[in-house]
Amino acid sequence: MNCCKTAFFILSWVLLSANTVVLSQPLPLDELAKEKVYKSYDDAFNDAYNVVVMDLTGQNINFHSVKTKSLVNLQVLLAAGNPGLDFDQMFTKKFYGSIPYLQILNLQENQLHYLPPELATNCSYLKMLYLGKNRLKELPNTICYMDSLQILSVHHNLLRKLPDSAASFKVLKTLDISGNKGFDIEHALSMLSEVKTLSQLFLSDCGIGTLPVGISALYNLDLLNLGSNQLGEMPQYLCHLPNLVELNMSKNAITYIPSDIKNMEKLEVLVLSNNLLQKLPPEIGVLGRLVYLDISYNKLAKLSDSLFRLPAIAEINFSGNLLTEIPPDIGNLPTLKALDFSGNQLKKLPMEMGRLTELEYLNLKGNPILPDEKKAIKEWFPKAKIIF
């Protein structure tokens, strides 16, 4: 009997210990999404050793608790919208700076004027850092030496340039600088060309009037967002980024697309909405991987036949242009599933469109489509959602 009791207590101790030990290493990022999310200090402190993800977003917390040190397995901290916190103290060893495996940190919308000084030195496993919508005027050089940092978002701050050591980022994949007006793009590109891991760059709403030629040195980019700037053209050298998969140049003043766009062989998503384009180069038709094309709200009055040779295209947005007719060749797009012609001047569609057997969505709102034509279109696509 005593032996059974002893065995029971030993087993209980082992099980309890298993729930309270510090993890031997950080969890893979895809595993973090499966973890329970703790949404208050009280809930977290009552189950401290099991807390991996804590979301304190928008709770207006204005104090730190020494119990924070008990959250030894915390790996995701979402603390956006808490401007009353003392961020100088937050990442010292007394509080979150003593937590060994913090990987994802969100400090957006906290009125930060500078980065907490001990963040870079005490969070060595940090992979994702979100600092958007603060009041940052500069970033410290130390942030560039965070060996694990893969995603850095500093959108909508007051930054003028990147730190002089930005070329030292070791594994940075995604950088979001959007919304920093007057940002020195040329200086940034000269250093980012040394960051061979960089694959996604967000430069929207930075007041860019001319894109520096240095962009062509970012060979490994697969996503580039240049939306909401003042670009008047798509420069030729931009078309020679060999690995670009997604390009967004919406909300600019672009009047010209170079024929060199044919060199963007891996491009799958092209967004040119809200510009001043009157025509598209026929070379767009050779983009064999293009799946999504948005040329809405431009000045297009006519479409080139070459546009309808895209073998993989699934969705095209032509809305808000000046189109009065559609070429019959549109029937040559067997993969097309969604088509938006809203806000044009179309009275009818070519009967060749009836060959678009995969079409699931067709928007014709705001066009003077004749009644008999509407009936025919419904017969062409009995299973599609059609909006008149």
Side-chain angles (χ1 to χ4, degrees), residues 80 105-112 129-137 139 151-159 162 174-181 183 201-206 225:
L105 176 62
N106 188 336
L107 295 179
Q108 297 189 130
E109 299 183 84
N110 280 315
Q111 297 295 314
L112 293 175
L129 178 57
Y130 299 93
L131 298 167
K133 294 185 179 180
N134 279 294
R135 307 292 294 172
L136 298 172
K137 294 183 178 180
L139 296 173
I151 297 177
L152 175 60
S153 176
V154 289
H155 69 87
H156 294 92
N157 276 279
L158 303 173
L159 298 173
L162 289 180
T174 301
L175 177 61
D176 187 352
I177 315 171
S178 302
N180 287 280
K181 305 286 188 180
F183 190 82
L201 181 59
F202 296 83
L203 295 172
S204 64
D205 195 22
C206 285
N225 191 327

Side-chain angles (χ1 to χ4, degrees), residues 93-108:
K93 291 292 185 180
K94 185 177 180 181
F95 301 109
Y96 291 98
S98 64
I99 295 173
Y101 297 135
L102 195 62
Q103 295 192 72
I104 301 175
L105 176 62
N106 188 336
L107 295 179
Q108 297 189 130

Side-chain angles (χ1 to χ4, degrees), residues 3-283:
C3 291
C4 291
K5 284 184 177 180
T6 301
F8 173 78
F9 286 124
I10 292 174
L11 178 60
S12 299
W13 181 85
V14 169
L15 290 174
L16 180 62
S17 299
N19 289 327
T20 59
V21 295
V22 182
L23 294 173
S24 59
Q25 60 184 357
L27 292 173
L29 291 177
D30 57 351
E31 292 292 321
L32 296 178
K34 303 174 185 178
E35 292 292 327
K36 176 181 177 180
V37 179
Y38 292 78
K39 295 193 174 183
S40 73
Y41 270 149
D42 289 342
D43 288 346
F45 295 150
N46 286 334
D47 193 20
Y49 291 100
N50 291 315
V51 178
V52 175
V53 180
M54 186 162 65
D55 185 356
L56 304 176
T57 303
Q59 297 187 26
N60 293 316
I61 296 170
N62 57 12
F63 70 95
H64 295 301
S65 171
V66 292
K67 293 182 180 179
T68 297
K69 294 180 69 172
S70 66
L71 306 175
V72 291
N73 292 314
L74 183 67
Q75 298 186 40
V76 179
L77 174 59
L78 310 178
N82 292 285
L85 284 173
D86 183 342
F87 290 96
D88 279 347
Q89 289 290 316
M90 190 170 187
F91 298 99
T92 62
K93 291 292 185 180
K94 185 177 180 181
F95 301 109
Y96 291 98
S98 64
I99 295 173
Y101 297 135
L102 195 62
Q103 295 192 72
I104 301 175
L105 176 62
N106 188 336
L107 295 179
Q108 297 189 130
E109 299 183 84
N110 280 315
Q111 297 295 314
L112 293 175
H113 287 77
Y114 56 88
L115 208 60
E118 297 186 69
L119 174 61
T121 54
N122 289 340
C123 298
S124 58
Y125 283 95
L126 202 62
K127 294 180 179 178
M128 302 181 184
L129 178 57
Y130 299 93
L131 298 167
K133 294 185 179 180
N134 279 294
R135 307 292 294 172
L136 298 172
K137 294 183 178 180
E138 62 180 7
L139 296 173
N141 279 312
T142 52
I143 199 172
C144 307
Y145 297 101
M146 298 179 74
D147 291 346
S148 301
L149 194 62
Q150 297 178 19
I151 297 177
L152 175 60
S153 176
V154 289
H155 69 87
H156 294 92
N157 276 279
L158 303 173
L159 298 173
R160 292 290 181 172
K161 66 174 189 175
L162 289 180
D164 291 334
S165 57
S168 300
F169 284 116
K170 291 185 177 180
V171 294
L172 190 69
K173 295 180 179 179
T174 301
L175 177 61
D176 187 352
I177 315 171
S178 302
N180 287 280
K181 305 286 188 180
F183 190 82
D184 190 341
I185 299 298
E186 189 162 7
H187 175 259
L189 295 178
S190 67
M191 291 179 294
L192 293 175
S193 63
E194 301 296 321
V195 184
K196 302 306 180 184
T197 55
L198 188 66
S199 60
Q200 299 186 340
L201 181 59
F202 296 83
L203 295 172
S204 64
D205 195 22
C206 285
I208 304 172
T210 302
L211 191 63
V213 69
I215 193 74
S216 60
L218 303 185
Y219 301 117
N220 296 314
L221 282 187
D222 59 49
L223 183 153
L224 177 60
N225 191 327
L226 291 164
S228 300
N229 283 294
Q230 288 114 44
L231 296 170
E233 65 176 9
M234 179 179 176
Q236 188 176 19
Y237 44 81
L238 182 60
C239 299
H240 295 271
L241 289 173
N243 295 302
L244 210 58
V245 173
E246 180 172 343
L247 175 62
N248 187 332
M249 299 187 75
S250 63
K251 297 182 180 179
N252 279 279
I254 297 172
T255 59
Y256 169 73
I257 302 294
S259 60
D260 277 23
I261 196 170
K262 65 185 177 184
N263 295 313
M264 306 180 84
E265 297 178 352
K266 294 185 179 180
L267 201 63
E268 296 179 10
V269 176
L270 178 58
V271 181
L272 297 168
S273 58
N274 295 91
N275 279 288
L276 302 173
L277 292 168
Q278 296 185 24
K279 63 179 181 178
L280 297 173
E283 287 79 8

